[in-house]
Each structure stands twice: as structure tokens, then as C-alpha cells.
Amino acid sequence: MRGIHRGAAFALIAALSLTACGGDGDSDDNPLTGSGGDSGDGKSIVVGSANFPENQLLAEIYAEALEAKGLKVTRKFDIGAREVYYDQVVKGGIQVFPEYNGALLATAVDKSSTVTGTEDINAELKKKLPSSVEILDSAEAQDKDSVTVTAETAKKYNIKTLADLKPVAGKWTIGAGSEFKTRTQGWIGLKKIYGVEFGKFQPLDAGAQSTLLKLLNSDKVQAANIYTTDPAIVEDKLVVLEDPKNLFSSQNVTPLVYKSAVNDTARAALNGVSAKLTTEDLVEMMKKLVNDKEDAATVAKEWLTKAGLAS
């Protein structure tokens, strides 16, 4: 949900006190401060990102791909959750944004949508997005939401799917980004589709992924909303619960753009990224970002060079 992710952790006490989406738009260092319907100088393309490391990495890839084509870019990263940034893209304050198509449709464009496949999702988006914006080509790469438990918990309660949570969830706490509580592809859908309702909800800011993992591994929370490209899933031997009823739809990485701000050169650059980017690429880059502590700009440049998209 895109909201919950990896990266530099907040202190535990600070993380547990957060009850609102990261990036509320009121702080002095808010990247949206002063953004209106233009990029400022009328020449540069404003590329934005949400407030979690993978999305910031994708935004950097987009930015560098555009720059490789000789285009000027203004970066406005770490904005917040979709509830914060989406309207800014629609208004043109942000002009290029790395989105996840299924989550975009279900949380911002049509909350009643029931389509789950990539082609159907994109068809719905093309019909229903505001006229000022459009999606470009989707990448093969996906990073889906999940409900994940430890291997010990999965074995103890014989849990393999989201449906298996129903008998035990009432006594459990689930940890997630605060927006998970109000999203259909989250708390609401778990109850509606699977009849699963957790006893408690522990909200965390999107940037507190390592704190969330600590809470899960120490049994402070018994389940967690973790993105499927998180390296910790393999490293900590976590169990991503199967989703046979497709609560979580396809989540292909897809550029969302403000139409009037991107020319054919920009569109070609962004579609070029989508044509090359795979889920395996995302996983490998996240390992470098999270485990090896490499800089996002360096990781982005390495991938673009390998993909033949660097300047």
C-alpha cells in the first residue's frame, strides 16, 4: 500500500506514536511547499515520490532516465502516502510519479472497483482517471501488499492463507501503515472478503519498516502488512499469506503523469524504464538499498546503465 515500507527506522517510541499518514503537508520541510500547477520555472519536470525507500528509488530512476534524454528535472521526494500526493499530481504540482496501478485504482480512482488483473486495472484507470493525468506503460515489476507472519506463527497456528486467519485474528494485533486501516485493500477488505478482523491495529509511519519488522519478529504484533519485494521476507524466513480471493490486486510499477508537462521524449524515457524493469530487478535493488546501505542515486544509475538507459 504502498505506504508501508523499508528504509531508515524511526525510534520505536516515535514510530508507535504515529497515527497519521507520513508527510501530512504541514511541516516546514514538506516537499510540496510552494508547489502549484507548474514546475516553478516552466521548464523542468517535477518528479515526486511517496515516503518509502522503494518509491523514492523508482522516482530517482525516472528522474535519471529523463535527465539522460536531456530533460531538466526537479525532485520532490518523500511526500507522503497517496492520500497526500495524488491530488498534487492531478493539479500538476507533481508531474511524474511512480505508481502501483492496482493500489492507485482501488485507493484513489475507484474505491468500489473489483478488477484485479493488470490489463483490466489499466483499462479502468484509462477510463476513470481525471482528464489532467494519464498512466503510461506498466512495468512487469510488481510490489504487492501482503499480510505476513513469522514462520513460527504460521507453523503454530497452521496458517497458509488469509482465510486461515479468521479463527485467530481477533486475539492478534496487525501492524501496518496507518492508511491500511481505511483502505479496501487492507483492514476493510480483510473483513469484507475473508471475514478476518484483527483485535488490534498498530499504526506506523511508512518509513518505519524496520520497526515494524522488529515488532513482528518479537511477537509484539502477530501479523504485518509488508511489501513483497522487502528483502526481510527471505532473510527473516517470513511467510507471506496466500491471497486466493485477490484482496490485493496486481501492483505493477506504472508512471502516473500530468499530461501537459510531459512531451514525447519524456514519455519515451519513462516507457523505456517500464519495458526493462522486472520484479527481480526491484528485489535486487532493494537489497542494495536496505542491506548494503547504498545511495538511491547510485543504485538507480547502476540499473539504468545495465538496462542501457543511462546517459
Side-chain angles (χ1 to χ4, degrees), residues 1-4 20-25 30-32 48-52 55-56 76-86 97-99 179 183 205-207 227:
M1 242 59 345
R2 300 349 278 164
I4 2 42
C21 295
D24 60 10
N30 174 23
L32 291 179
S49 85
N51 59 344
F52 58 92
N55 200 253
Q56 293 162 12
K76 291 192 176 182
F77 294 177
D78 197 27
I79 293 169
R82 189 172 292 104
E83 287 80 354
V84 177
Y85 66 70
Y86 175 70
F97 208 100
E99 262 293 2
E179 63 274 10
R183 290 183 174 178
D205 181 81
Y227 293 140

Side-chain angles (χ1 to χ4, degrees), residues 153-171:
T153 295
K155 182 177 181 180
K156 180 178 179 180
Y157 296 97
N158 192 28
I159 294 173
K160 297 180 181 179
T161 74
L162 292 177
D164 295 336
L165 289 169
K166 190 173 181 179
V168 296
K171 299 179 181 179

Side-chain angles (χ1 to χ4, degrees), residues 202-233:
Q202 177 58 68
L204 292 100
D205 181 81
Q209 184 71 2
S210 63
T211 300
L212 177 57
L213 290 167
K214 289 177 182 177
L215 294 175
L216 181 64
N217 285 316
S218 63
D219 202 37
K220 298 283 195 313
V221 302
Q222 289 71 50
N225 173 219
I226 296 176
Y227 293 140
T228 54
T229 58
D230 195 317
I233 290 174

Side-chain angles (χ1 to χ4, degrees), residues 44-299:
S44 63
I45 300 172
V46 182
V47 179
S49 85
N51 59 344
F52 58 92
E54 180 184 272
N55 200 253
Q56 293 162 12
L57 171 64
L58 290 167
E60 181 62 30
I61 288 173
Y62 285 178
E64 292 188 24
L66 292 167
E67 289 171 337
K69 296 296 183 180
L71 300 169
K72 185 177 179 182
V73 171
T74 297
R75 291 163 172 78
K76 291 192 176 182
F77 294 177
D78 197 27
I79 293 169
R82 189 172 292 104
E83 287 80 354
V84 177
Y85 66 70
Y86 175 70
D87 284 345
Q88 291 297 322
V89 183
V90 171
K91 294 174 183 176
I94 303 297
Q95 297 160 342
V96 172
F97 208 100
E99 262 293 2
Y100 303 87
N101 58 354
L104 172 63
L105 176 64
T107 65
V109 178
D110 182 1
K111 295 181 181 180
S112 65
S113 177
T114 58
V115 298
T116 59
T118 299
E119 291 185 5
D120 290 338
I121 289 168
N122 285 349
E124 288 285 287
L125 285 170
K126 289 173 182 178
K127 286 191 297 184
K128 297 177 179 179
L129 278 167
S131 60
S132 62
V133 296
E134 65 179 323
I135 57 167
L136 302 184
D137 295 347
S138 288
E140 178 273 329
Q142 291 197 57
D143 184 5
K144 298 186 72 169
D145 285 282
S146 76
V147 174
T148 293
V149 299
T150 64
E152 182 180 1
T153 295
K155 182 177 181 180
K156 180 178 179 180
Y157 296 97
N158 192 28
I159 294 173
K160 297 180 181 179
T161 74
L162 292 177
D164 295 336
L165 289 169
K166 190 173 181 179
V168 296
K171 299 179 181 179
W172 286 8
T173 299
I174 185 170
S178 57
E179 63 274 10
F180 187 85
K181 186 73 177 287
T182 59
R183 290 183 174 178
T184 300
Q185 292 191 32
W187 182 278
I188 295 171
L190 281 169
K191 183 177 181 180
K192 182 178 181 180
I193 296 174
Y194 287 103
V196 170
E197 188 167 13
F198 285 89
K200 294 181 180 180
F201 178 73
Q202 177 58 68
L204 292 100
D205 181 81
Q209 184 71 2
S210 63
T211 300
L212 177 57
L213 290 167
K214 289 177 182 177
L215 294 175
L216 181 64
N217 285 316
S218 63
D219 202 37
K220 298 283 195 313
V221 302
Q222 289 71 50
N225 173 219
I226 296 176
Y227 293 140
T228 54
T229 58
D230 195 317
I233 290 174
V234 173
E235 292 162 5
D236 295 351
K237 299 181 180 179
L238 302 176
V239 177
V240 174
L241 299 181
E242 297 172 16
D243 179 18
K245 297 183 179 180
N246 296 312
L247 166 62
F248 302 120
S249 61
S250 296
Q251 305 289 359
N252 300 81
V253 175
T254 304
L256 176 67
V257 302
Y258 188 69
K259 288 181 181 178
S260 63
V262 291
N263 59 20
D264 289 344
T265 300
R267 285 181 168 84
L270 296 169
N271 285 335
V273 171
S274 293
K276 298 281 189 176
L277 187 65
T278 68
T279 302
E280 291 74 16
D281 291 337
L282 268 185
V283 172
E284 286 303 311
M285 286 191 285
M286 287 310 301
K287 287 180 181 177
K288 293 179 180 179
L289 203 65
V290 176
N291 297 347
D292 301 337
K293 309 300 181 186
E294 290 189 28
D295 179 70
T298 301
V299 176

